[in-house]
Amino acid sequence: MTKQIKSKERVSDHGEVFTAEREVNAMLDLVKQETDRVDSRFLEPACGDGNFVTEILRRKLEAAKKRAIPPRKKKPLPLEFEKQSVIAIASIYGVDLLNDNVITCRNRLFDIWNAEYEAICKGEISEECREAVRFILSRNIVCGNALTLMCVDDEQNDTDMPIVFSEWTIPFNDTRIQRKDYSFEELMRGANIEDDIRRTAQMSLFADEKGEVEPSFLQQYIFDYRRSQDYGR
Ligand SMILES: C[S@@+](CC[C@H](N)C(=O)[O-])C[C@H]1O[C@@H](n2cnc3c(N)ncnc32)[C@H](O)[C@@H]1O
């Protein structure tokens, strides 16, 4: 857990005050049914250096371990845990205005994922999978302005690049992962926020679960998280 305040300037310029661990856990407990699911999606539009998203990942990795245990066994199967852990990390999204926060947030998430990966997968560890997870984090944790929905430069000014989020799925029951890119603006336009929140107190990030609203995507790619490749950056 990092300090709650880095400097007075950052507090006055960007409202940067990090949430303490106790409050993070109390708030996440309110949506425990989602934090304890491997594939539920979370987006934090002012994620700072990751106090909420790192705790969400810890909870999801616990769920991933349980899901990877075969019936009548006690230990998770390494390759099944690997898959579940990739699903878990790929379901967490964040935006922050400050680039140093974004980099720290990605690194904290990677380190938490990697510690569990090493502990459980041992002899099955794949450098390619680590590389794939770093790539997923580079796309999911974005340096941008969550109000204008645009990426920002090092001075926190909007660039001409819209924020784009990728939906990640593992559609073939193997190690291939599908990425579909959507602009944040399109996701917000397609989201039936009021209706979602009335029904579930949450908003769907990509396609509406009832199939009524399907935002149009920009491009799609498939890659194998156990093979070295260019990911279609
Ligand atoms: C109060 S801090 C909260 C950080 C984190 N959510 C936590 O609870 O520890 C607010 C964060 O929002 C970021 N921020 C401020 N305005 C923003 C904007 N328009 N878009 C994205 N991030 C923003 C700041 O850089 C800061 O990291």
Side-chain angles (χ1 to χ4, degrees):
M1 177 66 62
T2 50
K3 285 199 303 190
Q4 281 188 265
I5 289 175
K6 285 187 180 166
S7 72
K8 282 186 191 163
E9 291 70 40
R10 289 170 70 111
V11 176
S12 59
D13 292 350
H14 306 296
E16 188 194 64
V17 179
F18 299 117
T19 309
E21 192 172 355
R22 200 178 58 165
E23 281 72 41
V24 168
N25 277 307
M27 287 170 76
L28 292 180
D29 284 347
L30 298 172
V31 287
K32 200 168 161 34
Q33 71 284 5
E34 300 299 330
T35 57
D36 290 352
R37 259 179 59 205
V38 175
D39 56 354
S40 56
R41 292 194 178 94
F42 281 81
L43 163 63
E44 219 209 318
C47 65
D49 63 9
N51 287 0
F52 278 93
V53 288
T54 51
E55 182 54 33
I56 291 168
L57 179 61
R58 279 199 191 90
R59 293 173 180 218
K60 280 172 166 280
L61 290 175
E62 285 306 310
K65 275 186 230 170
K66 288 187 191 139
R67 252 172 113 159
I69 300 175
R72 293 179 295 284
K73 301 277 181 203
K74 289 197 174 135
K75 285 190 181 167
L77 294 174
L79 294 183
E80 186 55 27
F81 174 75
E82 178 185 75
K83 179 191 286 183
Q84 297 299 329
S85 74
V86 169
I87 296 171
I89 204 149
S91 68
I92 296 174
Y93 301 83
V95 181
D96 202 274
L97 209 49
L98 297 171
N99 196 38
D100 59 346
N101 281 345
V102 168
I103 290 169
T104 306
C105 182
R106 287 177 186 154
N107 288 338
R108 288 176 74 193
L109 288 166
F110 181 82
D111 289 347
I112 290 167
W113 174 84
N114 193 43
E116 292 291 0
Y117 186 50
E118 287 183 351
I120 291 170
C121 295
K122 296 183 179 112
E124 310 273 5
I125 281 173
S126 135
E127 270 317 311
E128 289 74 19
C129 183
R130 283 193 175 123
E131 179 65 19
V133 165
R134 282 208 181 276
F135 175 65
I136 291 168
L137 286 171
S138 76
R139 297 204 54 83
N140 281 21
I141 308 298
V142 177
C143 191
N145 186 328
L147 298 176
T148 61
L149 313 183
M150 301 300 283
C151 294
V152 295
D153 62 21
D154 287 345
E155 266 71 57
Q156 296 82 51
N157 296 315
D158 282 8
T159 64
D160 54 6
M161 275 169 51
I163 295 175
V164 170
F165 283 123
S166 300
E167 177 191 40
W168 309 92
T169 50
I170 298 190
F172 306 116
N173 201 27
D174 57 15
T175 52
R176 282 172 294 172
I177 187 161
Q178 177 177 280
R179 160 186 158 199
K180 265 188 183 183
D181 290 353
Y182 298 84
S183 77
F184 194 8
E185 189 188 3
E186 172 72 4
L187 293 173
M188 295 299 283
R189 207 183 11 243
N192 195 344
I193 297 173
E194 280 177 22
D195 189 37
D196 274 351
I197 289 176
R198 199 172 41 247
R199 279 187 298 122
T200 63
Q202 290 151 39
M203 154 194 166
S204 343
L205 186 54
F206 296 102
D208 187 288
E209 275 156 17
K210 292 184 299 181
E212 284 173 7
V213 184
E214 173 118 32
S216 50
F217 60 89
L218 302 167
Q219 57 239 332
Q220 97 177 11
Y221 308 87
I222 292 184
F223 68 87
D224 187 323
Y225 60 75
R226 282 210 138 229
R227 287 176 55 190
S228 184
Q229 59 222 284
D230 123 31
Y231 301 108
R233 287 165 215 260

